[in-house]
Each structure stands twice: as structure tokens, then as C-alpha cells.
Amino acid sequence: MNPFQKNESKETLFSPVSIEDVPPRPPSPPKKPSPKICGSNYPLSIAFIVVNEFCERFSYYGMKAVLILYFLYFLHWNEDTSTSIYHAFSSLCYFTPILGAAIADSWLGKFKVLSLVGLSLIALGTGGIKPCVAAFGGDQFEEKHAEERTRYFSVFYLSINAGSLISTFITPMLRGDVQCFGEDCYALAFGVPGLLMVIALVVFAMGSKIYNKPPPEGNIVAQVFKCIWFAISNRFKNRSGDIPKRQHWLDWAAEKYPKQLIMDVKALTRVLFLYIPLPMFWALLDQQGSRWTLQAIRMNGNLGFFVLQPDQMQVLNPLLVLIFIPLFDFVIYRLVSRCGINFSSLRKMAVGMILACLAFAVAAAVEIKINEMTPAQPGPQEVFLQVLNLADDEVKVTVVGNENDSLLIESIKSFQKTPQYSKLHLKTKSQNFHFHLKYHNLSLYTEHSVQEKNWYSLVIREDGNSISSMMVKDTESKTTNGMTTVRFVNTLHKGVNISLSKDTSLNVGEDYGVSAYRTVQRGEYPAVHCRTEDKNFSLNLGLLDFGAAYLFVITNNTNQGLQAWKTEDIPANKMSIAWQLPQYALVTAGEVMFSVTGLEFSYSQAPSSMKSVLQAAWLLTIAVGNIIVLVVAQFSGLVQWAEFILFSCLLLVICLIFSIMGYYYVPVKTEDMQGPGDKQIPHIQGNMINLETKKTKL
């Protein structure tokens, strides 16, 4: 009896032919060997690809170097919002490669996506470039030059970091050293990277004639999803115990799809499963441009021989990458190999994770030390108060009528402020304080209103033969934010215009007028031009250091003329930015072991028809990692050092999981992925019942 007659389906007959009937291609003529670089086995086309990547990465990292400060100081967003938007943008840049990979592998091919889509639109440009450029470079090598291809990924990563190194160093200088409309020149900082994208397009197009351009091989992404869906649904329909099991769950797609496609999808899904833990590494690595930069702005960038801007500290990462890649490739890996240790790609990636864990532990220690040097903050029903005596003799100030009177019992000399802020306790959120001022033989009482969680200066000033006082609210936050700020008190009887720089000036009213705070660049200010309605003069403000807030009192000294008396509201940052060097060294070493290895691993494990797809999946892990940072920044509510510890512990757990997964992973060899697809899983064994797959082509 024919077992097919018992099946309920009347349309089913199985065939190993795919539903996408593709006519056989005519045999290709033998290819001419591509020109090589200086007699080596490296194709000449690689030079154009590497230079293009250098320019594109210069543009990308140059823009990202100043992005967090643009959000913070130009758009005036808070730190958590700035961090969230920064990582949302990074996530989008690494999510769009999925779209670029689909277009590259199925429609235009890698070359056209790079030149037409990737470099035409900025947002989608990253999606077009990132999944294609690394794989496109790998396509230039012949199979017999697999060792050179492995080295190419290191050279490729070197070009990325060379562009990043130069742009991360130069772009903050364009932002900070050039003034546009009286502020930092973000227009120039974003414009120069844009120009480099034009150069990238020109260089890439120059090598068009010598590129090896593998043609697209159909709608690969769609075929992958259809194959997976068919295998799952087919297995679900045929879950009867009478039907023999198959070796792999994707073998259930054999009734509809060719064996080679199923083998390719198997290889793809095995690697994708291995990618599941990877986003946590990128969640840590990409915080160099956000949380670590925000940490740097609360540190002192003066290194003695050079002064670093906070966003320039990121230059350490690409600089160390350029040093570490040859160090690891030619020294460390070879020493490990001579010791008889099999340092596989997955083991390198696991060690890279551990190094990133250590980097964030160090970052947490640095953050704790910075907090110890940062002034405390007034809490609910508290204010911090300092007294500034601008009279010509000492004044004794006492708080009247509550338990705070013991805080301000010392006399304050002329042109002296209290050594530190005093904490005053309020009975409500806002309160009127009564002060008793004793000056010579005069005894005066004054009243001022304050609100909780603020900082104030009580300014004592001369008023004829007597004195008076005024309450001035200090800068809103005493947490040092890396920017240098100044304000002025004018004791003259005429208003003063002060030119702090070419594009920055402010006016201070006469008779103890107080200016608003103004942000300036860190540096020496030996001769600041000032003018009144009838004369010009200059003031020596001295060094304005990182993170400090200065108060200058303009006075007219009979013997020395017009001068600026200088005092600090906020002390300058004390901790050197050089303390970030260990965490940058650790995370960069982890990046070299994780990212460079992962790029080569992704290419080597990908079937020939899915190189861009797997590169896009690798980049998708970066996108997910940035989403993790976004979520933690918005919803964790942790102090910064605790957040660093949280990320470090999470990655340590993920590293353990990844190590277990990697232990059972068997790398796929090239010949295994390119075997002939002429065999199919037998559909009938003995008297087995036919499967319930319906509406399949005869």
C-alpha cells in the first residue's frame, strides 16, 4: 500500500526544490587576479576601504566627542537626560545596520549601499555603512589568503581608531577654542566631521573599478525568516510520536528549502544565540562618551605640560587601541600560544569582558574620591550661608532669634569672607532670618528671606558712614560641573562693561551692582578689558581653573587704582584627570580583545551569503547595549558610583554565562559552510506517516 494515499492532505508532494525557482547562472569567466599592495597578498582595493573608514569614523567620533557637552551646556539638559539621548542616538546608529544589511545582501550589494545610501543620509548612512564596510573588505581577499584576511580586521580596526583619535582630539578644540556668537562653536565642531564624510565618499568612489563586488544573492533576510518560521510551524504540525525526530530543529524546513540554505541558517542561528549576552559589554564600553565624560568635567585637566578639555579625555581610547592592537597581536597572543594555551576567539572575548568589569570598578573608586572632594549639598529645610565683608573695618554678624546664632559669632575683617559656608536650619521651606550687625559703635538689625536647598552670600557694604547688607543667591548647584564661572560686584559709582573674551562681555551696575554668573574657558586672564562711561582700564583676574566659581569685587584703591578682589565661591577641581588613565587602559584592552576578535569571528562564522547580515547582528548588540544604558540612566535612581558598580557586576555575571555558552560552541569551518547542497533528509523511512505540510508545490 502506498502510504501517501492515507494522508489527509491532497496537495502535498515533497520536493527538495526551493519555491524561489532561480535559473542556473552561466559559468563565470576566470577572474583576473586583483592588484596587490607592494607585492603583498593584500588587495589594493583594501587601501581605499580603509581610508574611507578612517574618514567616516573621524566624522562619527568627532561628532560624538562633543555631543554630551552640547546637550548639557548648549541645550541645557540635565545629566540623566543628556546621557539617555546620547545612548538613544548611539543605539539608533547601530540598529539601522539591520536595514542596511537587508538591502546590501538582497538588492544593491555592499558597494552600492556604501556609496549611494550610506553616504547620502546621515541617520540611515550609519546603517548603510556599518554592516557592509567590514564584510566588503573581507570580500576582497581570496580564500587562499585567509591569514591576511584575519590581519585585515586588525588593520581595519586600526583605521577606525586612527580616525577616532584625531577627531576626538581636534573636535573639542574646534568647540572650545573657537567662539561662535559668544558661545562654544558647536557649528564648526559638527561641520568639520561633515566635510570628512564628503572626502570619504570621494576616496571610496576612486577605487570603484578595482573592487571585488560579490553580487547580491536574493532576499536573504526574508529567506532566513521564512525558513525559520517554516521549520517551527512544520515541527508544530508534526509533533506526533509516530514521526521520527530530526537531528536539528531547522531540519524540519527540508521539505521546502534547499539543504545549503538550511545549513547557512543553522550557522547563523548558532552565532546569533552566542550574541545574546554581548550587549552588556557595549553598555559599559560606550559610556566613555557619556558617564565617563561627565566624570571628567569634575576633575582637573591640567597635566602640567598640557591642559585637557573633559571631552578630549576620550582620545585615550583610540590612542591606546593603536598601541594595544600590535602589542596583543605580535607579543601577548604569541607568548600565550608558546605557553601551550589555546586562546580561542571566544576566550579572548571573555577576558575582554573581565577587563571591562575591572575598568568600571576603578571608575567607581575614582567617583567616590571625587565625591569626597565635592562640597556637601544643603538638604531639605537647610541653606548654606557665607558672609562677605566689603566695608572698611571688621563687622560682627549674629543670627538672631533661633538656634543658629552660634554659627556666625566671629568678627569678619574688611574684604574677608567667612572661611566656609555655614549651615542654617529652617523651620519651613522658606524663612526670614534676622541678622545683628555690629560695626564700630553702630548696632544694626536687618532681615532677609531665604529658601531651602540654596546657597547664599550675605554681602556687607558701606553706606555713607554706616553699613547695610544685601542677600545674594549663589550659583544654583555647588556640585562642580567642570565649567569655570565668574561674577562681579561693582563698588564704583559708575556702571562697568567687562570683556571676558572677544565674544563674551557683561555689564555690572553701579553702587554694588551684582552680575549674573558667566561661563568662561579655563586659563590665565592677566588683562581683561573694562570700561566705564568715561574711561578704559584692565583687570588682572589671574588663573581661572577647572570647576571653580569666582567672585570678583571691583574696587578703587587710592594707591593702586582700580582692582579686582578675587574670592572663590566654589573651589577648583582638585582631583587630576590623569586618575582616569587606569580605567581607560583596562576598558581599551578589553575592547581590543573583545571587539577586534568579534569582528573577525563574525565574518569567519558567517555563510558567504550572509556576511553583512551577521555583521549587522554584531552591530545590533551595540544598539541593545546603548538601550541598557538609557534604561538604567532614566530609572535606576542610583548615585553614580553605585551605578558603575551595578554595571560591573552585571557584566561579570554575563561573562560567566557567555563562557559556559562558548565552552559548548564548536566553530564552523569554511568548507563546512560551502558544501554542496545536493542531499536532502529522507522524507520517508519504512512505513512512516507522511507529514501534514499543506499547499507545497508538486
Side-chain angles (χ1 to χ4, degrees):
M1 181 183 296
N2 188 347
F4 285 101
Q5 295 175 353
K6 293 183 179 181
N7 197 309
E8 296 178 0
S9 172
K10 300 186 179 179
E11 300 179 276
T12 303
L13 198 67
F14 299 106
S15 170
V17 181
S18 171
I19 57 173
E20 288 91 355
D21 294 324
V22 181
R25 296 175 181 170
S28 302
K31 293 182 180 179
K32 295 181 180 179
S34 58
K36 301 294 191 293
I37 299 176
C38 300
S40 67
N41 290 326
Y42 286 87
L44 180 61
S45 55
I46 288 297
F48 295 95
I49 296 173
V50 169
V51 173
N52 166 79
E53 183 68 6
F54 169 86
C55 295
E56 190 271 334
R57 292 290 89 184
F58 183 105
S59 174
Y60 178 74
Y61 285 109
M63 180 269 297
K64 282 190 68 175
V66 300
L67 195 59
I68 191 74
L69 298 186
Y70 174 75
F71 293 155
L72 199 62
Y73 298 128
F74 190 82
L75 299 182
H76 305 294
W77 295 344
N78 62 39
E79 290 189 2
D80 286 340
T81 301
S82 300
T83 300
S84 298
I85 299 300
Y86 176 93
H87 288 284
F89 168 75
S90 298
S91 178
L92 182 62
C93 286
Y94 287 100
F95 177 78
T96 51
I98 292 294
L99 305 178
I103 297 172
D105 281 338
S106 61
W107 180 25
L108 296 177
K110 301 182 189 73
F111 173 76
K112 291 183 179 179
V113 170
L114 270 169
S115 58
L116 299 181
V117 177
L119 298 173
S120 300
L121 304 172
I122 295 177
L124 296 179
T126 299
I129 294 171
K130 293 304 293 179
C132 302
V133 64
F136 187 59
D139 290 342
Q140 307 305 304
F141 291 88
E142 302 171 21
E143 285 302 323
K144 62 182 179 181
H145 298 142
E147 183 177 349
E148 285 83 357
R149 183 174 62 199
T150 300
R151 290 273 182 257
Y152 153 74
F153 286 101
S154 293
V155 175
F156 176 78
Y157 211 77
L158 281 172
S159 72
I160 291 175
N161 286 275
S164 175
L165 171 67
I166 298 174
S167 65
T168 307
F169 186 77
I170 291 178
T171 309
M173 296 175 64
L174 298 177
R175 170 193 63 80
D177 296 348
V178 181
Q179 294 289 307
C180 298
F181 312 108
E183 297 181 347
D184 287 353
C185 195
Y186 288 99
L188 187 61
F190 292 141
V192 170
L195 178 62
L196 262 292
M197 287 303 299
V198 177
I199 297 176
L201 174 61
V202 173
V203 171
F204 185 73
M206 287 171 60
S208 175
K209 294 183 178 180
I210 61 173
Y211 291 141
N212 176 26
K213 307 172 188 175
E217 302 186 28
N219 196 340
I220 294 297
V221 175
Q223 287 188 43
V224 169
F225 281 108
K226 289 178 180 179
C227 180
I228 293 174
W229 175 252
F230 183 84
I232 294 173
S233 59
N234 195 23
R235 178 66 185 92
F236 181 77
K237 292 175 182 177
N238 298 280
R239 58 187 182 276
S240 170
D242 297 331
I243 302 175
K245 295 182 179 180
R246 298 189 180 180
Q247 186 176 8
H248 193 280
W249 63 272
L250 276 170
D251 290 336
W252 290 94
E255 284 76 26
K256 188 174 182 181
Y257 293 95
K259 182 177 180 180
Q260 186 60 49
L261 176 63
I262 294 174
M263 291 176 60
D264 289 352
V265 176
K266 285 181 183 179
L268 180 67
T269 53
R270 290 173 68 245
V271 179
L272 291 181
F273 177 72
L274 204 60
Y275 280 1
I276 293 175
L278 303 190
M280 186 53 67
F281 176 86
W282 301 112
L284 275 68
L285 185 69
D286 279 4
Q287 290 188 58
Q288 295 175 79
S290 56
R291 292 302 199 192
W292 284 16
T293 298
L294 294 175
Q295 184 184 73
I297 65 178
R298 297 187 291 125
M299 305 177 77
N300 195 311
N302 185 9
L303 301 178
F305 57 92
F306 191 79
V307 177
L308 273 178
Q309 296 296 327
D311 42 354
Q312 282 181 320
M313 194 61 183
Q314 299 173 57
V315 80
L316 268 179
N317 176 254
L319 175 62
L320 291 174
V321 166
L322 296 179
I323 297 172
F324 285 170
I325 285 181
L327 176 65
F328 277 71
D329 279 351
F330 298 109
V331 180
I332 295 178
Y333 291 157
R334 292 187 179 183
L335 288 177
V336 171
S337 178
R338 288 184 179 180
C339 293
I341 300 175
N342 179 20
F343 209 20
S344 64
S345 297
L346 298 181
R347 289 179 179 177
K348 292 177 185 176
M349 294 171 70
V351 173
M353 290 181 175
I354 295 174
L355 292 174
C357 292
L358 295 176
F360 265 67
V362 173
V366 171
E367 187 70 21
I368 292 172
K369 191 64 177 178
I370 292 173
N371 291 340
E372 291 177 357
M373 299 181 177
T374 301
Q377 297 297 301
Q381 297 186 6
E382 290 179 351
V383 296
F384 283 179
L385 176 71
Q386 69 171 351
V387 179
L388 190 64
N389 181 13
L390 303 184
D392 61 357
D393 203 350
E394 67 179 26
V395 177
K396 186 174 183 179
V397 181
T398 307
V399 181
V400 180
N402 60 30
E403 65 277 7
N404 295 300
D405 58 352
S406 62
L407 297 175
L408 299 169
I409 59 175
E410 298 294 331
S411 296
I412 303 169
K413 296 180 180 179
S414 177
F415 279 85
Q416 177 189 352
K417 73 169 188 175
T418 47
Q420 61 186 10
Y421 280 84
S422 300
K423 182 189 296 184
L424 301 183
H425 299 278
L426 311 182
K427 296 179 180 178
T428 59
K429 292 184 177 181
S430 62
Q431 183 177 328
N432 290 337
F433 274 103
H434 298 271
F435 297 92
H436 176 221
L437 310 178
K438 189 174 181 180
Y439 171 72
H440 293 169
N441 295 323
L442 297 175
S443 183
L444 305 173
Y445 291 89
T446 183
E447 179 182 351
H448 297 286
S449 177
V450 296
Q451 292 183 333
E452 66 175 2
K453 299 182 180 180
N454 284 311
W455 302 69
Y456 292 94
S457 292
L458 181 66
V459 180
I460 312 298
R461 62 184 184 180
E462 291 188 19
D463 191 0
N465 295 325
S466 182
I467 59 171
S468 61
S469 65
M470 59 181 181
M471 187 71 77
V472 178
K473 185 179 179 181
D474 291 350
T475 182
E476 294 181 0
S477 175
K478 284 293 178 181
T479 54
T480 51
N481 62 2
M483 302 300 289
T484 304
T485 57
V486 296
R487 65 173 176 172
F488 293 84
V489 175
N490 177 21
T491 66
L492 307 180
H493 299 302
K494 297 178 180 178
V496 179
N497 178 270
I498 304 171
S499 299
L500 294 168
S501 66
K502 182 179 178 181
D503 301 311
T504 305
S505 63
L506 55 87
N507 294 310
V508 191
E510 71 275 9
D511 296 327
Y512 294 92
V514 182
S515 72
Y517 282 99
R518 184 60 61 92
T519 301
V520 296
Q521 290 294 320
R522 184 263 183 200
E524 294 280 352
Y525 290 79
V528 174
H529 179 73
C530 306
R531 70 175 185 273
T532 61
E533 60 184 17
D534 57 358
K535 67 181 300 184
N536 294 329
F537 61 97
S538 63
L539 296 175
N540 180 10
L541 305 186
L543 173 65
L544 304 183
D545 212 350
F546 285 105
Y550 296 97
L551 172 66
F552 292 94
V553 181
I554 303 174
T555 62
N556 189 0
N557 188 299
T558 306
N559 297 327
Q560 300 178 350
L562 296 172
Q563 289 185 325
W565 180 67
K566 178 181 180 181
T567 184
E568 285 186 352
D569 286 347
I570 303 178
N573 297 345
K574 296 293 191 297
M575 193 167 184
S576 173
I577 203 170
W579 283 102
Q580 281 195 323
L581 180 59
Q583 65 198 58
Y584 270 97
L586 286 169
V587 83
T588 305
E591 178 186 1
V592 169
M593 300 189 74
F594 183 92
S595 187
V596 178
T597 306
L599 274 175
E600 191 277 330
F601 178 81
S602 297
Y603 186 89
S604 66
Q605 297 299 292
S608 59
S609 62
M610 301 178 187
K611 299 294 188 185
S612 294
V613 173
L614 201 54
Q615 290 288 326
W618 169 260
L619 297 171
L620 186 61
T621 64
I622 304 178
V624 177
N626 280 275
I627 292 176
I628 293 174
V629 182
L630 187 157
V631 172
V632 172
Q634 283 294 314
F635 303 109
S636 72
L638 297 174
V639 294
Q640 192 55 67
W641 67 266
E643 187 179 291
F644 286 156
I645 293 295
L646 173 65
F647 276 110
S648 181
C649 293
L650 288 175
L651 183 58
L652 191 60
V653 174
I654 291 296
C655 178
L656 179 61
I657 296 172
F658 177 77
S659 299
I660 296 173
M661 296 168 64
Y663 179 80
Y664 291 101
Y665 180 84
V666 180
V668 179
K669 297 180 181 180
T670 305
E671 55 268 22
D672 296 335
M673 292 186 290
Q674 295 178 344
D678 54 351
K679 296 181 181 180
Q680 288 291 327
I681 296 176
H683 303 147
I684 304 174
Q685 299 178 8
N687 293 328
M688 129 185 191
I689 299 176
N690 188 31
L691 306 180
E692 295 182 4
T693 306
K694 300 183 179 182
K695 297 184 180 179
T696 306
K697 244 185 184 180
L698 297 176

